[in-house]
Amino acid sequence: MHTYLVTGGAGFIGSNYIHYMFKKYGDDIRIINVDALTYAGNLENLKDVENRSNYKFVKADITDKEAIAAVFASEDIDRVVHFAAESHVDRSIRNPEVFVQTNVLGTAVMLNCAKAAWELPDGTFKADHKFLHVSTDEVYGSLPDDDSAFFYETTPYAPHSPYSASKASSDMLVKAYMDTYKFPANITNCSNNYGPYQFPEKLIPLIINNALSGKKLPVYGDGLNVRDWLYVEDHAKAIDMVQEKGRLFETYNIGGHNEKRNIEIVNIIIETLREELSDDDPRKALVTKDLITYVEDRKGHDRRYAIAPDKIKKEIGWEPETMFKDGIKLTIKWFFEHEDWMKNVTSGDYQKYYADMYKA
Ligand code: NAD
Ligand code: TYD
């Protein structure tokens, strides 16, 4: 039986991954979820697994060496899946330091504690113990705006935002551990995720939430930036497949084959909301394209991201399965059924963040 240490499991992708893993493996795995519960971490995301006997939550900061070493000392961890990070580009532009702290220093602590727990006296590592570092395609920088190029595992790193620079640094640390110690790890670089439990600071849940309350839909710059959207459950499946079937020490890019301009995304959300809302729902009248508002562009805004997920398909047999038209419906339905979740996460600090971020 594998025992997983999942970091950042109370966040968007981490909580979806934990749900996916229990759905797939049931009682045949154990999961220890280590999360500091920042503004982005929410234990409500894990309500339906919290009473499982093979699940445990530990509130700890990944930069806290003693706390992380204590988890390795008390649990027989043989799998680490490292999600915990500061994850929002706009916040990184306003406050870069916490990104270095969590994403770089936190990853160094995770690597060091796993190495200390797994290393044998001869410098090799316990058999079948593996660390998977979850990263982003944003480390590769920005692509030209003409469909001609894609990110591959061999694309040189060229991060622009403080967020992507901190993720690139954390990737380099993982590579350094693999090269120096033959530390058993993989790195995955993934494109933009969407789906249930995503915090409404990111484009898709922010637009859904604003539209349903008749608030302006802020589109940065000319709205023509391109992102490659991946349904979060497909990502969770890919992570599991890389960890179990991938070649150790390799990087795998995970993409959605689903490039869209931001303005297209906003229009699809409006159209899908109008289709899904019944005629007698008072929110329907609020959801119109008149809400679209072009606002000042993000500083250093990367123009286009797109992954060619050829390596993971060829070596591991993974492909994105959820078409955007289906994934966005599932996402919107989830938000309809979880109005309280949205109310809870948008109360308090979120109001302050929103007022400050979108004040212009
Ligand atoms: P998120 O912001 O929703 O969740 C991050 C989680 O990490 C939260 O639960 C938070 O409490 C926790 N955390 C933050 N700092 C911590 C610390 N110091 N110690 C312990 N826990 C801490 O992020 P997400 O969107 O779920 O992203 C997860 C990972 O996937 C990140 O590493 C991110 O860089 C990567 N990624 C995200 C996307 C995306 O589209 N969201 C795309 C590619 C890669
Ligand atoms: P985001 O969801 O923040 O992800 P990332 O910056 O990591 O790609 O943003 C996705 C795209 O949407 C990005 O090009 C910025 C843009 N965007 C807006 O136009 N308006 C918004 O309010 C937000 C949050 C993002």
Side-chain angles (χ1 to χ4, degrees), residues 89 133-143 150-153 155-161 163-165 167-168 171 187-193 226-230 235 251-259 302 304-309:
V89 173
H133 175 65
V134 178
S135 190
T136 168
D137 60 356
E138 302 189 24
V139 298
Y140 299 122
S142 184
L143 290 165
F150 293 91
F151 295 139
Y152 293 93
E153 288 78 358
T155 303
Y157 275 32
H160 296 130
S161 72
Y163 164 67
S164 54
K167 291 298 289 188
D171 294 10
I187 298 171
T188 55
N189 296 87
C190 182
S191 63
N192 287 61
N193 285 219
V226 174
R227 297 292 182 265
D228 173 6
W229 294 95
L230 174 68
H235 184 195
T251 288
Y252 293 92
N253 285 351
I254 307 172
H257 268 318
N258 182 35
E259 285 181 60
D302 285 339
R304 174 172 165 254
Y305 302 144
I307 279 177

Short mmCIF file of all heavy atoms in Angstrom, two decimals, residues 89 133-143 150-153 155-161 163-165 167-168 171 187-193 226-230 235 251-259 302 304-309:
data_model
loop_
_atom_site.label_atom_id
_atom_site.label_comp_id
_atom_site.label_asym_id
_atom_site.label_seq_id
_atom_site.Cartn_x
_atom_site.Cartn_y
_atom_site.Cartn_z
N VAL A 89 -0.54 34.71 -10.53
CA VAL A 89 0.39 35.66 -11.17
C VAL A 89 0.16 37.09 -10.69
O VAL A 89 1.11 37.81 -10.34
CB VAL A 89 0.26 35.58 -12.71
CG1 VAL A 89 1.10 36.66 -13.39
CG2 VAL A 89 0.66 34.20 -13.22
N HIS A 133 6.99 16.61 -8.44
CA HIS A 133 6.92 18.06 -8.28
C HIS A 133 5.98 18.62 -9.35
O HIS A 133 6.22 18.46 -10.55
CB HIS A 133 8.33 18.65 -8.43
CG HIS A 133 8.36 20.13 -8.41
ND1 HIS A 133 8.01 20.89 -7.31
CD2 HIS A 133 8.71 21.04 -9.38
CE1 HIS A 133 8.15 22.18 -7.59
NE2 HIS A 133 8.57 22.29 -8.84
N VAL A 134 4.92 19.30 -8.89
CA VAL A 134 3.91 19.83 -9.82
C VAL A 134 4.29 21.25 -10.20
O VAL A 134 4.35 22.14 -9.35
CB VAL A 134 2.51 19.81 -9.16
CG1 VAL A 134 1.47 20.40 -10.11
CG2 VAL A 134 2.13 18.39 -8.74
N SER A 135 4.53 21.45 -11.49
CA SER A 135 4.92 22.80 -11.93
C SER A 135 4.03 23.25 -13.09
O SER A 135 3.02 22.63 -13.40
CB SER A 135 6.40 22.84 -12.29
OG SER A 135 6.79 24.18 -12.47
N THR A 136 4.46 24.32 -13.71
CA THR A 136 3.60 25.01 -14.68
C THR A 136 4.31 25.21 -16.02
O THR A 136 5.55 25.28 -16.06
CB THR A 136 3.23 26.40 -14.10
OG1 THR A 136 2.64 27.19 -15.12
CG2 THR A 136 4.44 27.14 -13.58
N ASP A 137 3.53 25.35 -17.08
CA ASP A 137 4.13 25.66 -18.39
C ASP A 137 4.62 27.11 -18.44
O ASP A 137 5.35 27.49 -19.37
CB ASP A 137 3.14 25.39 -19.53
CG ASP A 137 1.85 26.21 -19.44
OD1 ASP A 137 1.67 26.96 -18.46
OD2 ASP A 137 1.03 26.10 -20.38
N GLU A 138 4.25 27.92 -17.43
CA GLU A 138 4.65 29.33 -17.46
C GLU A 138 6.16 29.50 -17.31
O GLU A 138 6.70 30.57 -17.62
CB GLU A 138 3.88 30.13 -16.39
CG GLU A 138 2.38 30.00 -16.61
CD GLU A 138 1.51 30.90 -15.75
OE1 GLU A 138 1.99 31.95 -15.29
OE2 GLU A 138 0.33 30.56 -15.57
N VAL A 139 6.85 28.44 -16.86
CA VAL A 139 8.33 28.51 -16.76
C VAL A 139 8.97 28.68 -18.14
O VAL A 139 10.09 29.16 -18.26
CB VAL A 139 8.93 27.25 -16.09
CG1 VAL A 139 8.44 27.10 -14.66
CG2 VAL A 139 8.66 25.98 -16.90
N TYR A 140 8.25 28.29 -19.20
CA TYR A 140 8.82 28.36 -20.56
C TYR A 140 8.68 29.75 -21.19
O TYR A 140 9.13 29.97 -22.31
CB TYR A 140 8.15 27.34 -21.48
CG TYR A 140 8.32 25.89 -21.04
CD1 TYR A 140 7.22 25.08 -20.79
CD2 TYR A 140 9.59 25.32 -20.91
CE1 TYR A 140 7.36 23.74 -20.42
CE2 TYR A 140 9.75 23.99 -20.54
CZ TYR A 140 8.63 23.21 -20.29
OH TYR A 140 8.78 21.90 -19.92
N GLY A 141 7.98 30.65 -20.50
CA GLY A 141 7.84 32.00 -21.04
C GLY A 141 6.62 32.13 -21.92
O GLY A 141 5.59 31.52 -21.64
N SER A 142 6.73 32.93 -22.98
CA SER A 142 5.56 33.23 -23.81
C SER A 142 5.83 32.83 -25.26
O SER A 142 6.94 33.03 -25.77
CB SER A 142 5.29 34.73 -23.72
OG SER A 142 4.13 35.05 -24.42
N LEU A 143 4.80 32.30 -25.93
CA LEU A 143 4.95 31.87 -27.33
C LEU A 143 4.47 32.97 -28.28
O LEU A 143 3.64 33.80 -27.91
CB LEU A 143 4.10 30.62 -27.58
CG LEU A 143 4.58 29.32 -26.91
CD1 LEU A 143 3.46 28.28 -26.92
CD2 LEU A 143 5.82 28.79 -27.60
N PHE A 150 5.00 25.49 -29.97
CA PHE A 150 4.45 24.89 -28.75
C PHE A 150 5.56 24.73 -27.73
O PHE A 150 6.74 24.74 -28.09
CB PHE A 150 3.85 23.51 -29.06
CG PHE A 150 2.64 23.60 -29.95
CD1 PHE A 150 2.78 23.52 -31.33
CD2 PHE A 150 1.39 23.80 -29.41
CE1 PHE A 150 1.68 23.64 -32.16
CE2 PHE A 150 0.28 23.92 -30.23
CZ PHE A 150 0.42 23.84 -31.60
N PHE A 151 5.16 24.59 -26.47
CA PHE A 151 6.13 24.24 -25.44
C PHE A 151 6.36 22.72 -25.46
O PHE A 151 5.40 21.95 -25.49
CB PHE A 151 5.59 24.58 -24.04
CG PHE A 151 5.38 26.05 -23.76
CD1 PHE A 151 4.25 26.47 -23.06
CD2 PHE A 151 6.32 27.00 -24.15
CE1 PHE A 151 4.07 27.82 -22.76
CE2 PHE A 151 6.13 28.36 -23.85
CZ PHE A 151 4.99 28.76 -23.17
N TYR A 152 7.65 22.36 -25.45
CA TYR A 152 8.05 20.96 -25.30
C TYR A 152 8.90 20.86 -24.03
O TYR A 152 9.36 21.88 -23.51
CB TYR A 152 8.85 20.48 -26.51
CG TYR A 152 8.02 20.42 -27.77
CD1 TYR A 152 7.97 21.50 -28.64
CD2 TYR A 152 7.26 19.29 -28.06
CE1 TYR A 152 7.18 21.46 -29.79
CE2 TYR A 152 6.47 19.24 -29.20
CZ TYR A 152 6.43 20.33 -30.05
OH TYR A 152 5.65 20.29 -31.17
N GLU A 153 9.18 19.62 -23.60
CA GLU A 153 10.01 19.41 -22.42
C GLU A 153 11.41 19.98 -22.63
O GLU A 153 12.12 20.27 -21.67
CB GLU A 153 10.10 17.91 -22.09
CG GLU A 153 8.81 17.30 -21.52
CD GLU A 153 7.72 17.02 -22.56
OE1 GLU A 153 7.92 17.32 -23.75
OE2 GLU A 153 6.66 16.48 -22.17
N THR A 155 12.04 22.80 -24.30
CA THR A 155 12.00 24.26 -24.47
C THR A 155 12.78 24.92 -23.32
O THR A 155 12.59 24.58 -22.16
CB THR A 155 10.53 24.77 -24.43
OG1 THR A 155 9.79 24.09 -25.45
CG2 THR A 155 10.45 26.27 -24.65
N PRO A 156 13.70 25.85 -23.65
CA PRO A 156 14.47 26.49 -22.58
C PRO A 156 13.56 27.29 -21.64
O PRO A 156 12.55 27.85 -22.07
CB PRO A 156 15.41 27.45 -23.32
CG PRO A 156 15.40 27.00 -24.73
CD PRO A 156 14.09 26.32 -24.99
N TYR A 157 13.95 27.33 -20.38
CA TYR A 157 13.18 28.10 -19.40
C TYR A 157 13.37 29.60 -19.66
O TYR A 157 14.49 30.06 -19.88
CB TYR A 157 13.64 27.77 -17.98
CG TYR A 157 12.97 26.54 -17.38
CD1 TYR A 157 12.58 25.48 -18.17
CD2 TYR A 157 12.73 26.45 -16.01
CE1 TYR A 157 11.96 24.36 -17.62
CE2 TYR A 157 12.11 25.34 -15.45
CZ TYR A 157 11.72 24.30 -16.27
OH TYR A 157 11.11 23.21 -15.73
N ALA A 158 12.27 30.35 -19.62
CA ALA A 158 12.35 31.81 -19.79
C ALA A 158 11.20 32.47 -19.05
O ALA A 158 10.35 33.13 -19.66
CB ALA A 158 12.30 32.16 -21.28
N PRO A 159 11.14 32.29 -17.74
CA PRO A 159 9.98 32.81 -17.00
C PRO A 159 9.98 34.33 -16.96
O PRO A 159 11.04 34.95 -16.99
CB PRO A 159 10.20 32.24 -15.59
CG PRO A 159 11.67 32.07 -15.47
CD PRO A 159 12.14 31.67 -16.84
N HIS A 160 8.77 34.92 -16.91
CA HIS A 160 8.67 36.39 -16.86
C HIS A 160 8.12 36.93 -15.56
O HIS A 160 8.57 37.95 -15.07
CB HIS A 160 7.80 36.89 -18.02
CG HIS A 160 8.40 36.61 -19.35
ND1 HIS A 160 7.70 36.00 -20.38
CD2 HIS A 160 9.64 36.81 -19.82
CE1 HIS A 160 8.49 35.85 -21.41
NE2 HIS A 160 9.67 36.34 -21.11
N SER A 161 7.09 36.29 -15.03
CA SER A 161 6.46 36.86 -13.82
C SER A 161 7.20 36.36 -12.58
O SER A 161 7.88 35.32 -12.63
CB SER A 161 4.99 36.43 -13.74
OG SER A 161 4.91 35.05 -13.42
N TYR A 163 5.82 34.88 -10.21
CA TYR A 163 5.29 33.52 -10.00
C TYR A 163 6.08 32.50 -10.82
O TYR A 163 6.59 31.51 -10.28
CB TYR A 163 3.80 33.47 -10.38
CG TYR A 163 3.28 32.06 -10.57
CD1 TYR A 163 3.18 31.17 -9.49
CD2 TYR A 163 2.88 31.59 -11.84
CE1 TYR A 163 2.72 29.87 -9.67
CE2 TYR A 163 2.40 30.30 -12.02
CZ TYR A 163 2.33 29.44 -10.93
OH TYR A 163 1.87 28.15 -11.11
N SER A 164 6.17 32.73 -12.13
CA SER A 164 6.81 31.71 -12.97
C SER A 164 8.31 31.62 -12.68
O SER A 164 8.90 30.53 -12.77
CB SER A 164 6.53 31.94 -14.46
OG SER A 164 6.88 33.23 -14.86
N ALA A 165 8.92 32.74 -12.28
CA ALA A 165 10.34 32.69 -11.91
C ALA A 165 10.53 31.82 -10.67
O ALA A 165 11.49 31.04 -10.57
CB ALA A 165 10.88 34.10 -11.67
N LYS A 167 8.54 29.37 -9.70
CA LYS A 167 8.30 27.97 -10.07
C LYS A 167 9.50 27.43 -10.84
O LYS A 167 9.90 26.28 -10.64
CB LYS A 167 7.02 27.83 -10.91
CG LYS A 167 5.72 28.09 -10.16
CD LYS A 167 5.45 27.14 -9.00
CE LYS A 167 5.10 25.74 -9.43
NZ LYS A 167 4.65 24.90 -8.28
N ALA A 168 10.08 28.23 -11.72
CA ALA A 168 11.27 27.79 -12.46
C ALA A 168 12.40 27.46 -11.49
O ALA A 168 13.10 26.45 -11.63
CB ALA A 168 11.69 28.87 -13.46
N ASP A 171 11.72 24.19 -9.88
CA ASP A 171 12.01 23.09 -10.82
C ASP A 171 13.52 22.82 -10.86
O ASP A 171 13.97 21.66 -10.88
CB ASP A 171 11.56 23.43 -12.24
CG ASP A 171 10.05 23.56 -12.39
OD1 ASP A 171 9.34 23.57 -11.37
OD2 ASP A 171 9.59 23.66 -13.54
N ILE A 187 9.16 15.75 -12.66
CA ILE A 187 8.55 17.09 -12.70
C ILE A 187 7.45 17.04 -13.75
O ILE A 187 7.65 16.46 -14.83
CB ILE A 187 9.60 18.15 -13.09
CG1 ILE A 187 10.72 18.21 -12.06
CG2 ILE A 187 8.95 19.53 -13.25
CD1 ILE A 187 11.90 19.07 -12.46
N THR A 188 6.30 17.63 -13.43
CA THR A 188 5.29 17.82 -14.46
C THR A 188 5.04 19.32 -14.64
O THR A 188 4.98 20.06 -13.66
CB THR A 188 3.95 17.12 -14.10
OG1 THR A 188 3.52 17.57 -12.81
CG2 THR A 188 4.09 15.61 -14.08
N ASN A 189 4.95 19.74 -15.89
CA ASN A 189 4.65 21.14 -16.20
C ASN A 189 3.32 21.18 -16.93
O ASN A 189 3.19 20.63 -18.03
CB ASN A 189 5.75 21.75 -17.07
CG ASN A 189 7.07 21.81 -16.33
OD1 ASN A 189 7.85 20.85 -16.34
ND2 ASN A 189 7.34 22.92 -15.66
N CYS A 190 2.38 21.82 -16.31
CA CYS A 190 1.01 21.72 -16.77
C CYS A 190 0.47 23.06 -17.26
O CYS A 190 0.92 24.11 -16.81
CB CYS A 190 0.18 21.25 -15.56
SG CYS A 190 -1.50 21.02 -15.97
N SER A 191 -0.50 23.00 -18.16
CA SER A 191 -1.14 24.23 -18.64
C SER A 191 -2.26 24.66 -17.67
O SER A 191 -2.46 24.03 -16.63
CB SER A 191 -1.68 24.01 -20.05
OG SER A 191 -2.68 23.02 -20.03
N ASN A 192 -2.98 25.72 -18.02
CA ASN A 192 -4.02 26.27 -17.12
C ASN A 192 -5.12 25.26 -16.83
O ASN A 192 -5.73 24.72 -17.76
CB ASN A 192 -4.67 27.50 -17.76
CG ASN A 192 -3.75 28.70 -17.76
OD1 ASN A 192 -2.68 28.67 -18.36
ND2 ASN A 192 -4.16 29.76 -17.10
N ASN A 193 -5.40 25.05 -15.55
CA ASN A 193 -6.48 24.14 -15.14
C ASN A 193 -7.77 24.92 -14.89
O ASN A 193 -7.73 26.09 -14.53
CB ASN A 193 -6.13 23.48 -13.81
CG ASN A 193 -5.08 22.38 -13.92
OD1 ASN A 193 -5.19 21.36 -13.25
ND2 ASN A 193 -4.06 22.57 -14.75
N VAL A 226 -3.65 33.99 -25.15
CA VAL A 226 -4.11 32.61 -25.33
C VAL A 226 -3.63 31.75 -24.16
O VAL A 226 -2.45 31.83 -23.76
CB VAL A 226 -3.54 32.02 -26.65
CG1 VAL A 226 -3.87 30.53 -26.77
CG2 VAL A 226 -4.08 32.79 -27.84
N ARG A 227 -4.53 30.92 -23.63
CA ARG A 227 -4.16 29.92 -22.63
C ARG A 227 -4.67 28.57 -23.12
O ARG A 227 -5.65 28.50 -23.88
CB ARG A 227 -4.79 30.26 -21.25
CG ARG A 227 -4.30 31.60 -20.65
CD ARG A 227 -2.85 31.50 -20.26
NE ARG A 227 -2.31 32.71 -19.64
CZ ARG A 227 -1.65 33.68 -20.28
NH1 ARG A 227 -1.51 33.62 -21.59
NH2 ARG A 227 -1.13 34.69 -19.61
N ASP A 228 -4.05 27.50 -22.65
CA ASP A 228 -4.34 26.13 -23.10
C ASP A 228 -5.04 25.42 -21.93
O ASP A 228 -4.39 24.97 -21.00
CB ASP A 228 -2.99 25.47 -23.46
CG ASP A 228 -3.10 24.00 -23.80
OD1 ASP A 228 -4.21 23.47 -23.87
OD2 ASP A 228 -2.03 23.39 -23.99
N TRP A 229 -6.37 25.37 -21.95
CA TRP A 229 -7.14 24.99 -20.76
C TRP A 229 -7.30 23.49 -20.62
O TRP A 229 -7.65 22.79 -21.58
CB TRP A 229 -8.52 25.67 -20.79
CG TRP A 229 -8.39 27.15 -20.65
CD1 TRP A 229 -8.35 28.06 -21.67
CD2 TRP A 229 -8.22 27.90 -19.44
NE1 TRP A 229 -8.18 29.34 -21.15
CE2 TRP A 229 -8.10 29.27 -19.79
CE3 TRP A 229 -8.17 27.55 -18.08
CZ2 TRP A 229 -7.93 30.27 -18.85
CZ3 TRP A 229 -8.00 28.55 -17.14
CH2 TRP A 229 -7.88 29.90 -17.53
N LEU A 230 -7.07 23.01 -19.39
CA LEU A 230 -7.13 21.57 -19.09
C LEU A 230 -8.10 21.34 -17.94
O LEU A 230 -7.99 22.00 -16.89
CB LEU A 230 -5.72 21.10 -18.68
CG LEU A 230 -5.61 19.65 -18.19
CD1 LEU A 230 -5.87 18.67 -19.33
CD2 LEU A 230 -4.21 19.41 -17.61
N HIS A 235 -5.99 16.39 -15.32
CA HIS A 235 -4.66 16.65 -14.75
C HIS A 235 -4.36 15.68 -13.62
O HIS A 235 -3.26 15.10 -13.55
CB HIS A 235 -4.60 18.11 -14.26
CG HIS A 235 -3.26 18.53 -13.75
ND1 HIS A 235 -3.08 19.67 -13.00
CD2 HIS A 235 -2.04 17.97 -13.84
CE1 HIS A 235 -1.80 19.79 -12.69
NE2 HIS A 235 -1.14 18.77 -13.17
N THR A 251 10.93 14.87 -17.08
CA THR A 251 9.88 15.89 -17.04
C THR A 251 8.81 15.51 -18.05
O THR A 251 9.12 15.05 -19.15
CB THR A 251 10.48 17.26 -17.44
OG1 THR A 251 11.30 17.71 -16.37
CG2 THR A 251 9.40 18.29 -17.71
N TYR A 252 7.54 15.69 -17.66
CA TYR A 252 6.43 15.47 -18.59
C TYR A 252 5.56 16.73 -18.63
O TYR A 252 5.14 17.23 -17.58
CB TYR A 252 5.57 14.27 -18.17
CG TYR A 252 6.32 12.96 -18.28
CD1 TYR A 252 7.04 12.45 -17.20
CD2 TYR A 252 6.34 12.25 -19.49
CE1 TYR A 252 7.75 11.26 -17.30
CE2 TYR A 252 7.05 11.06 -19.60
CZ TYR A 252 7.75 10.57 -18.51
OH TYR A 252 8.46 9.39 -18.63
N ASN A 253 5.30 17.22 -19.83
CA ASN A 253 4.38 18.35 -19.99
C ASN A 253 2.95 17.82 -20.12
O ASN A 253 2.71 16.83 -20.82
CB ASN A 253 4.71 19.15 -21.25
CG ASN A 253 5.95 20.01 -21.06
OD1 ASN A 253 6.46 20.14 -19.96
ND2 ASN A 253 6.43 20.60 -22.16
N ILE A 254 2.02 18.50 -19.46
CA ILE A 254 0.61 18.07 -19.46
C ILE A 254 -0.23 19.23 -19.99
O ILE A 254 -0.30 20.28 -19.36
CB ILE A 254 0.15 17.71 -18.02
CG1 ILE A 254 1.12 16.70 -17.38
CG2 ILE A 254 -1.28 17.18 -18.03
CD1 ILE A 254 0.84 16.45 -15.89
N GLY A 255 -0.85 19.03 -21.16
CA GLY A 255 -1.61 20.13 -21.78
C GLY A 255 -2.99 19.69 -22.19
O GLY A 255 -3.28 18.49 -22.26
N GLY A 256 -3.85 20.66 -22.46
CA GLY A 256 -5.25 20.36 -22.73
C GLY A 256 -5.61 20.26 -24.20
O GLY A 256 -6.76 19.95 -24.53
N HIS A 257 -4.65 20.51 -25.13
CA HIS A 257 -4.99 20.57 -26.56
C HIS A 257 -6.16 21.50 -26.76
O HIS A 257 -7.10 21.20 -27.50
CB HIS A 257 -5.41 19.18 -27.07
CG HIS A 257 -4.29 18.38 -27.62
ND1 HIS A 257 -3.31 18.91 -28.42
CD2 HIS A 257 -3.98 17.07 -27.46
CE1 HIS A 257 -2.44 17.96 -28.73
NE2 HIS A 257 -2.81 16.84 -28.15
N ASN A 258 -6.15 22.61 -26.06
CA ASN A 258 -7.37 23.40 -26.00
C ASN A 258 -7.03 24.88 -25.84
O ASN A 258 -7.31 25.49 -24.83
CB ASN A 258 -8.21 22.89 -24.82
CG ASN A 258 -9.51 23.62 -24.70
OD1 ASN A 258 -10.11 24.00 -25.70
ND2 ASN A 258 -9.92 23.87 -23.49
N GLU A 259 -6.42 25.43 -26.90
CA GLU A 259 -6.02 26.84 -26.84
C GLU A 259 -7.22 27.74 -27.09
O GLU A 259 -7.95 27.53 -28.06
CB GLU A 259 -5.01 27.12 -27.95
CG GLU A 259 -3.65 26.59 -27.69
CD GLU A 259 -2.73 26.96 -28.85
OE1 GLU A 259 -2.55 28.16 -29.12
OE2 GLU A 259 -2.21 26.04 -29.49
N ASP A 302 2.12 37.51 -20.37
CA ASP A 302 2.54 36.54 -21.38
C ASP A 302 1.43 36.39 -22.42
O ASP A 302 0.25 36.26 -22.09
CB ASP A 302 2.80 35.17 -20.73
CG ASP A 302 4.11 35.13 -19.96
OD1 ASP A 302 4.99 35.98 -20.22
OD2 ASP A 302 4.25 34.24 -19.09
N ARG A 304 0.97 34.02 -25.11
CA ARG A 304 0.35 32.72 -25.47
C ARG A 304 1.08 31.57 -24.79
O ARG A 304 2.33 31.55 -24.77
CB ARG A 304 0.39 32.53 -26.98
CG ARG A 304 -0.10 31.17 -27.46
CD ARG A 304 -0.22 31.11 -29.00
NE ARG A 304 -0.32 29.72 -29.39
CZ ARG A 304 0.64 29.01 -29.97
NH1 ARG A 304 1.80 29.58 -30.26
NH2 ARG A 304 0.46 27.74 -30.26
N TYR A 305 0.31 30.65 -24.22
CA TYR A 305 0.86 29.38 -23.71
C TYR A 305 0.19 28.25 -24.49
O TYR A 305 -1.04 28.27 -24.68
CB TYR A 305 0.51 29.15 -22.24
CG TYR A 305 0.95 30.20 -21.24
CD1 TYR A 305 0.14 30.50 -20.14
CD2 TYR A 305 2.18 30.85 -21.33
CE1 TYR A 305 0.53 31.42 -19.18
CE2 TYR A 305 2.57 31.78 -20.38
CZ TYR A 305 1.73 32.06 -19.31
OH TYR A 305 2.12 32.97 -18.35
N ALA A 306 0.96 27.25 -24.87
CA ALA A 306 0.37 26.07 -25.52
C ALA A 306 1.35 24.91 -25.42
O ALA A 306 2.53 25.05 -25.77
CB ALA A 306 0.05 26.36 -26.98
N ILE A 307 0.84 23.79 -24.94
CA ILE A 307 1.68 22.61 -24.77
C ILE A 307 1.36 21.60 -25.86
O ILE A 307 0.19 21.38 -26.18
CB ILE A 307 1.41 21.98 -23.37
CG1 ILE A 307 2.21 22.75 -22.30
CG2 ILE A 307 1.75 20.51 -23.34
CD1 ILE A 307 1.97 22.27 -20.89
N ALA A 308 2.41 20.96 -26.40
CA ALA A 308 2.19 19.78 -27.24
C ALA A 308 2.47 18.58 -26.33
O ALA A 308 3.63 18.26 -26.10
CB ALA A 308 3.13 19.80 -28.44
N PRO A 309 1.42 17.93 -25.82
CA PRO A 309 1.66 16.85 -24.84
C PRO A 309 2.01 15.52 -25.50
O PRO A 309 1.46 14.47 -25.18
CB PRO A 309 0.33 16.78 -24.07
CG PRO A 309 -0.69 17.25 -25.04
CD PRO A 309 -0.02 18.16 -26.04
#
